[in-house]
Amino acid sequence: MAVSYNNLWKLLIDRGMNKTELKEASGISFNVMARMGKNETVSLDSLEKICMVLNCNIGDIMDITTKKDTRTFSAIELFAGAGGLALGIEKAGFKTLGLVEVDKDAADTLRRNRPEWRVINDDIANISCLNLQEYFGLKKGDLDLLSGGAPCQSFSYAGKRLGLEDARGTLFYHYAKFLEQLQPKMFLFENVRGLLTHDKGRTYKTITDIFESTGYTIQKKVLNAWDYGVAQKRERLITIGIRRDLADKINFTFPTPHDYKPVLRDVLLDCPESAGTPYSEYKRKIFELVPPGGYWRDIPEDIAKEYMKSCWYMEGGRTGILRRLSLDEPSLTVLTSPSQKQTDRCHPLEPRPFTIRENARCQSFPDEWQFCGSIGSQYKQVGNAVPVNLAMDIAKQIKIALEGLS
């Protein structure tokens, strides 16, 4: 069964109303509106609230059709973490055949939420040396998508022309070994924007040269998660590879930014309660002085100077210190620790850091996605994740490109 809300969008045009106005008038959440924008099912209660505002019947705003049988595309993920990227790829319609993750807590998170997934809790160096076709039960070239974002260590290959074997010891080497052995039709390699400029661009060139040497053409683009249904400013470098023998048959385009860019008001106000790390009493009292959207310049100078200590004399705006977010802006990049002096992200309404569940909302994880391990480990897993909605939009474009093969 498939649903479509095209009738609703047409009705809004007829009524001279936009989506934001409908959301506020009906009292539905941003998440519900986002799901409808993707033609996903929502609760009957939400539909009834919309119908009350528009004075119409449910049949006037949605269509239900029987889905035609479609091919299921396969994916394997490396450096899977807590599953933000894998979940987005699953939501786009892929079947996950395996995930490799070295961190036990993150692997437990994957297993708790998706017991049917094959989660391999091991160092990738112990896996990439195996016969991967035999290990995953695949023939060379059968896999549709290899995904993952190798943590980028500080390494430099300035002035050198290195092949795959010369990159041993780096994590992207193991990613390239998967490409070499399995020859997936496409790959998705996600990393920080700074990789583009590391060592004057030579590091990224080395990585892409090696990926190309395994038989792929490369497309790259920096995407901001805020443009794709995520209430967070988070720029990521997305590298897409297409197997060279399919390059003239697969047409991939990066996703188009959404019309509406969510802010913290959309994700925080109805967020479920969860564990979190509080500020010290000293820091909490200082944050009580900072207005929403403000930072250290918005409190008395003597208090700011005492708090900042040597940071007071540093150059630059230091706008991350004593930074309190506003409900009317997106989150700054979610970090792996809730309280770092130079990168504070104080809650807009209370003098405290975001909870784990609030950070997960900012990363567009669904509320039912549970994280394992200590509070510190859970913060780390959420902070390291790829925003789910960003991953889904990219994966949908990959799926469209793969469908073009048939």
Side-chain angles (χ1 to χ4, degrees), residues 70-91:
T70 56
R71 186 194 151 191
T72 300
F73 294 96
S74 58
I76 289 175
E77 179 148 326
L78 312 181
F79 315 104
L85 182 58
L87 178 57
I89 289 172
E90 178 193 70
K91 283 176 171 288

Side-chain angles (χ1 to χ4, degrees), residues 146-344:
L146 181 71
S147 63
C152 189
Q153 312 102 314
S154 296
F155 57 82
S156 174
Y157 294 132
K160 299 178 182 178
R161 298 293 295 176
L162 301 178
L164 178 57
E165 293 307 311
D166 297 306
R168 284 182 180 274
T170 67
L171 291 177
F172 80 84
Y173 162 82
H174 302 291
Y175 191 101
K177 290 296 290 182
F178 268 74
L179 291 178
E180 183 182 57
Q181 282 206 53
L182 294 179
Q183 289 288 287
K185 298 176 181 66
M186 296 183 69
F187 74 77
L188 190 173
F189 185 76
E190 178 271 346
N191 221 293
V192 296
R193 177 181 183 146
L195 182 58
L196 270 179
T197 54
H198 183 270
D199 193 22
K200 299 181 180 179
R202 287 182 284 243
T203 298
Y204 183 66
K205 186 176 189 308
T206 298
I207 292 172
T208 52
D209 283 350
I210 289 175
F211 287 170
E212 287 174 344
S213 75
T214 64
Y216 291 84
T217 62
I218 302 292
Q219 293 174 239
K220 69 176 187 297
K221 191 170 185 177
V222 174
L223 301 182
N224 191 329
W226 194 27
D227 291 324
Y228 301 95
V230 180
Q232 177 191 178
K233 289 182 178 178
R234 189 184 188 98
E235 291 187 315
R236 306 301 290 181
L237 171 60
I238 306 299
T239 305
I240 301 294
I242 300 173
R243 207 172 68 207
R244 195 167 289 116
D245 65 305
L246 301 175
D248 61 341
K249 301 174 184 175
I250 292 178
N251 180 29
F252 172 82
T253 57
F254 284 96
T256 302
H258 296 194
D259 292 334
Y260 181 73
K261 299 167 73 169
V263 294
L264 289 174
R265 185 181 300 279
D266 295 313
V267 299
L268 289 187
L269 298 183
D270 63 347
C271 186
E273 292 186 6
S274 73
T277 300
Y279 290 138
S280 66
E281 183 66 12
Y282 167 69
K283 189 168 183 176
R284 185 186 67 79
K285 287 184 176 180
I286 293 177
F287 260 116
E288 287 178 343
L289 304 174
V290 182
Y295 65 119
W296 63 269
R297 288 189 183 276
D298 298 301
I299 67 174
E301 183 175 306
D302 59 329
I303 297 177
K305 190 173 183 179
E306 166 61 25
Y307 175 80
M308 294 169 68
K309 294 183 169 55
S310 61
C311 294
W312 178 267
Y313 302 99
M314 293 170 57
E315 295 183 357
R318 294 153 289 166
T319 56
I321 300 177
L322 286 174
R323 179 77 160 85
R324 188 168 192 169
L325 297 172
S326 162
L327 286 177
D328 296 315
E329 66 179 332
S331 172
L332 301 177
T333 300
V334 173
L335 303 176
T336 57
S337 172
S339 183
Q340 298 175 351
K341 190 167 186 176
Q342 295 190 42
T343 52
D344 282 317

